[in-house]
């Protein structure tokens, strides 16, 4: 569907999903891009708390809300979005949400591999390259249809993302900011050149065909989709949609705690969803050593969506250390449990 405004792209997500649920269109793969660049908050998020409006207005960055949950993301003009909109019964057999996420990411993982990038799925919902995130994903369902989407970072403007979003890393000092930058990557950084958009789309197409054992046929929006889009777009352009507050500002606060252990300084920053009583995201930084170096990245991923009570946090961390070969000299799993609980208690 080419480059579009945030409102049109978000409306199209809703339109295509509903049309598929009503069996008006076939299963669909959609590629999308944004012009102007856009900040997209998750469906359940508070826009005022997630977006730095003074900055995005100055830079003329669109702001809108996804029909899917999850955290706020930034789409620059180079980022490519990919989506699978399909009936549930057409999706290959899977057991549980994590296996579904892994299955839906296979096409993009295969595409990156064919481009020369050794990518892998990282639970719960990321695609990574050597521990660094290159694609985040999420989904939503409507009746008997689902929409699963991902972002593919092609040549990413990380500095603008950091300034546009209210995420834990914006509160960190220069040393920790450098650590945060090491958590993401993009196609150009991995290959030292930027493949043409057509090449990337073709690789994704082959990956999805392989994953779902289908043949994809290129085509534009059909008449029913265009009609429903005309009817739907005004709602997605409205402040009522963009500022669809679900809770007070204080319930999405970024919480921090710092502790000095024999192994070094540890800083935990987390975003807590009080409405659902779970951890939305967590960032663990400091001057400690971890072996392998990517272990902290995997632990952060494992803690996403964990219930925010002590027992759940304790179980997740202890299970992570029991099932991964991880060494944090001078820092125990219980140290991390106590720090995260301390941040939650704030």
């Amino acid at each position: 569907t080419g480059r579009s405004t945030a409102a049109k792209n978000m409306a199209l997500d809703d339109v295509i999903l509903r049309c598929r649920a009503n069996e008006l269109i076939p299963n669909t793969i959609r590629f999308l891009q944004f012009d102007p660049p856009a900040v997209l908050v998750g469906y359940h998020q508070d826009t005022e708390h997630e977006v730095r409006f003074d900055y995005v207005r100055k830079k003329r960055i669109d702001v809108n809300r996804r029909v899917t949950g999850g955290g706020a993301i930034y789409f620059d003009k180079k980022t490519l979005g990919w989506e699978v909109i399909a009936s549930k019964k057409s999706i290959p057999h899977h057991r549980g949400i994590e296996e579904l996420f892994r299955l839906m990411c296979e096409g993009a993982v295969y595409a990156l591999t064919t481009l020369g990038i050794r990518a892998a799925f990282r639970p719960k919902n990321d695609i990574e390259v050597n521990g660094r995130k290159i694609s985040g994903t999420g989904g939503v369902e409507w009746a008997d249809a689902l929409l699963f989407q991902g972002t593919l970072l092609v040549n990413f403007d990380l500095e603008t993302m950091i300034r546009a979003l209210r995420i834990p890393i914006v509160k960190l000092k220069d040393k920790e900011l450098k650590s945060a930058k090491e958590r993401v990557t993009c196609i150009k950084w991995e290959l030292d050149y930027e493949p043409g958009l057509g090449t990337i789309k073709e690789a994704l197409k082959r990956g999805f065909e392989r994953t779902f054992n289908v043949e994809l046929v290129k085509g534009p929006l059909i008449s029913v989709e265009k009609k429903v889009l005309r009817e739907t777009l005004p709602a997605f352009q409205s402040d009522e949609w963009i500022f669809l507050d679900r809770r007070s500002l204080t319930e999405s606060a970024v919480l921090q705690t710092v502790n000095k252990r024999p192994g070094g300084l540890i800083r935990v920053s987390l975003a807590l969803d009080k409405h659902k009583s779970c951890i939305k995201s967590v960032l663990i930084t400091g001057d400690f050593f971890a072996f392998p170096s990517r272990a902290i990245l995997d632990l952060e991923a494992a803690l996403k969506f964990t219930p925010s009570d002590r027992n759940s946090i304790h179980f997740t961390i202890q299970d992570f250390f029991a099932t991964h070969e991880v060494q944090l000299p001078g820092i125990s799993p219980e140290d991390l449990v106590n720090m995260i609980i301390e941040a939650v208690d704030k």
Side-chain angles (χ1 to χ4, degrees), residues 39 55 67 112 135 147 228 238 285-286 326:
V39 167
Y55 182 81
V67 297
L112 288 166
S135 181
L147 179 149
V228 179
S238 70
T285 60
V326 178

Side-chain angles (χ1 to χ4, degrees), residues 202-213:
E202 181 61 28
L204 285 165
K205 173 180 177 287
R206 292 196 303 268
F208 291 126
E209 287 178 329
R210 180 176 181 268
T211 297
F212 300 118
N213 192 27

Side-chain angles (χ1 to χ4, degrees), residues 7-56:
K8 184 177 179 182
N9 269 324
M10 297 302 93
L12 274 170
D13 282 351
D14 180 72
V15 167
I16 299 173
L17 178 59
R18 287 192 289 124
C19 285
R20 182 65 193 95
N22 291 319
E23 299 187 349
L24 300 173
I25 62 171
N27 292 336
T28 300
I29 301 290
R30 176 162 92 108
F31 296 130
L32 62 155
Q33 290 183 281
F34 290 76
D35 189 6
V39 167
L40 307 174
V41 300
Y43 179 77
H44 302 287
Q45 291 188 300
D46 188 315
T47 310
E48 290 279 6
H49 193 79
E50 301 296 334
V51 182
R52 296 185 173 272
F53 276 95
D54 54 344
Y55 182 81
V56 299

Side-chain angles (χ1 to χ4, degrees), residues 208-340:
F208 291 126
E209 287 178 329
R210 180 176 181 268
T211 297
F212 300 118
N213 192 27
V214 296
E215 179 182 353
L216 294 171
V217 179
K218 185 177 180 180
L221 296 174
I222 63 174
S223 58
V224 65
E225 291 168 310
K226 293 177 181 178
K227 177 180 181 294
V228 179
L229 176 61
R230 287 192 298 269
E231 298 167 350
T232 303
L233 183 57
F236 281 80
Q237 294 170 324
S238 70
D239 284 349
E240 287 77 12
W241 172 256
I242 296 169
F243 296 94
L244 184 65
D245 296 332
R246 293 302 185 189
R247 59 195 69 94
S248 69
L249 296 180
T250 57
E251 291 187 303
S252 296
V254 172
L255 309 161
Q256 291 188 313
T257 186
V258 181
N259 195 2
K260 181 73 173 178
R261 302 302 299 157
L265 183 74
I266 315 167
R267 177 177 282 105
V268 170
S269 303
L270 64 84
L272 185 67
D273 188 330
K274 287 182 68 177
H275 182 67
K276 294 185 176 181
S277 299
C278 72
I279 295 170
K280 294 198 297 183
S281 62
V282 62
L283 191 68
I284 303 169
T285 60
D287 57 6
F288 55 83
F289 290 92
F291 304 96
S293 59
R294 57 164 290 154
I296 292 299
L297 306 180
D298 291 334
L299 176 59
E300 290 172 349
L303 283 163
K304 281 201 300 187
F305 316 133
T306 296
S308 55
D309 62 276
R310 172 176 282 275
N311 287 341
S312 297
I313 293 169
H314 184 273
F315 175 81
T316 298
I317 291 178
Q318 293 291 349
D319 181 68
F320 177 84
F321 279 86
T323 56
H324 293 70
E325 294 183 359
V326 178
Q327 296 181 61
L328 297 178
I331 299 171
S332 70
E334 202 65 28
D335 290 333
L336 296 175
V337 171
N338 291 333
M339 289 190 69
I340 293 172

Side-chain angles (χ1 to χ4, degrees), residues 4-8 34-41 51 53 56-57 59-64 73-75 164 242:
S4 298
T5 64
K8 184 177 179 182
F34 290 76
D35 189 6
V39 167
L40 307 174
V41 300
V51 182
F53 276 95
V56 299
R57 286 169 180 149
K59 294 295 184 179
R60 298 183 179 180
I61 297 170
D62 273 358
V63 177
N64 212 278
I73 58 176
Y74 172 66
F75 259 89
I242 296 169

